[in-house]
Amino acid sequence: MTEAMAKALYTTVESPLGELLLVGEESATANGGTALASLSMPGQKGGAVIQDGWVRDDGAFAVIAGQLRGYFEGTRRDFDVEYASGVGTDFQRRVWHALDTLPYGTTTSYGKLAERLGISRAAVRALGTAIGRNPLLVVRPCHRVIAADGSLAGYAGGLEAKRRLLDLESANRPEN
């Protein structure tokens, strides 16, 4: 959440991965009026938990929830979501922006993503840490980053969830 946020809003959305917790803030420029600050799944390492003072507002997340439904149904391949500002360090935001550009149904390795960003091989661990701190699972597709040998590696939502997301996208690629 941004420090200036007057009121944190939240809702929960059912998904094939379990109940997702969406947290955001009101935004005059966001599609649907809510900027997303966090999307967490059950058992997520470092996931958000409902705090005192947060206001449940299912309607504020109607647009985002609809986009998530479309994604899980295989009819949506990207998201039109405004992210809450002020989240993450400059380095993390740079890495997260790169995640946003990874095409649906594809994967890349940590090393290739580092190379694309001009990050030295020695700093790949820092890149992995930034990816692991992504507060917007599913929407910001960190699940598309895999190990150089093609194996699944690191996902805050768990490797089973990562596999399910990659399988969903593989089954629904445009050429399928």
Side-chain angles (χ1 to χ4, degrees):
M1 282 335 100
T2 61
E3 291 180 30
M5 186 177 359
K7 173 171 68 168
L9 307 173
Y10 78 94
T11 193
T12 56
V13 174
E14 287 301 321
S15 83
L17 303 174
E19 187 177 74
L20 305 177
L21 173 62
L22 283 64
V23 182
E25 61 189 40
E26 293 175 347
S27 169
T29 58
N31 183 6
T34 303
L36 193 60
S38 175
L39 188 156
S40 302
M41 60 182 63
Q44 177 182 331
K45 178 182 170 187
V49 293
I50 298 169
Q51 303 292 313
D52 288 340
W54 287 9
V55 176
R56 183 175 186 118
D57 187 343
D58 299 337
F61 294 91
V63 169
I64 298 167
Q67 291 182 32
L68 285 164
R69 270 190 301 281
Y71 173 82
F72 287 117
E73 291 167 356
T75 60
R76 184 173 195 96
R77 289 169 177 71
D78 57 7
F79 294 92
D80 179 19
V81 174
E82 180 179 307
Y83 303 142
S85 61
V87 179
T89 65
D90 288 342
F91 179 76
Q92 288 170 335
R93 287 191 299 271
R94 188 170 145 226
V95 171
W96 297 341
H97 177 71
L99 294 175
D100 288 332
T101 67
L102 297 176
Y104 181 93
T106 66
T107 59
T108 192
S109 70
Y110 291 90
K112 286 181 183 175
L113 187 60
E115 184 178 303
R116 189 170 134 208
L117 288 168
I119 297 169
S120 72
R121 293 298 257 172
V124 170
R125 184 167 295 208
L127 175 117
T129 299
I131 292 171
R133 296 234 170 95
N134 171 19
L136 299 169
L137 298 190
V138 182
V139 174
R140 182 181 288 136
C142 56
H143 59 275
R144 296 179 189 154
V145 183
I146 60 175
D149 65 4
S151 65
L152 300 185
Y155 187 63
L159 294 182
E160 176 59 28
K162 185 172 190 166
R163 167 56 51 215
R164 291 180 74 183
L165 291 168
L166 292 173
D167 287 350
L168 169 79
E169 290 186 8
S170 178
N172 292 298
R173 277 194 306 247
E175 65 270 15
N176 287 345

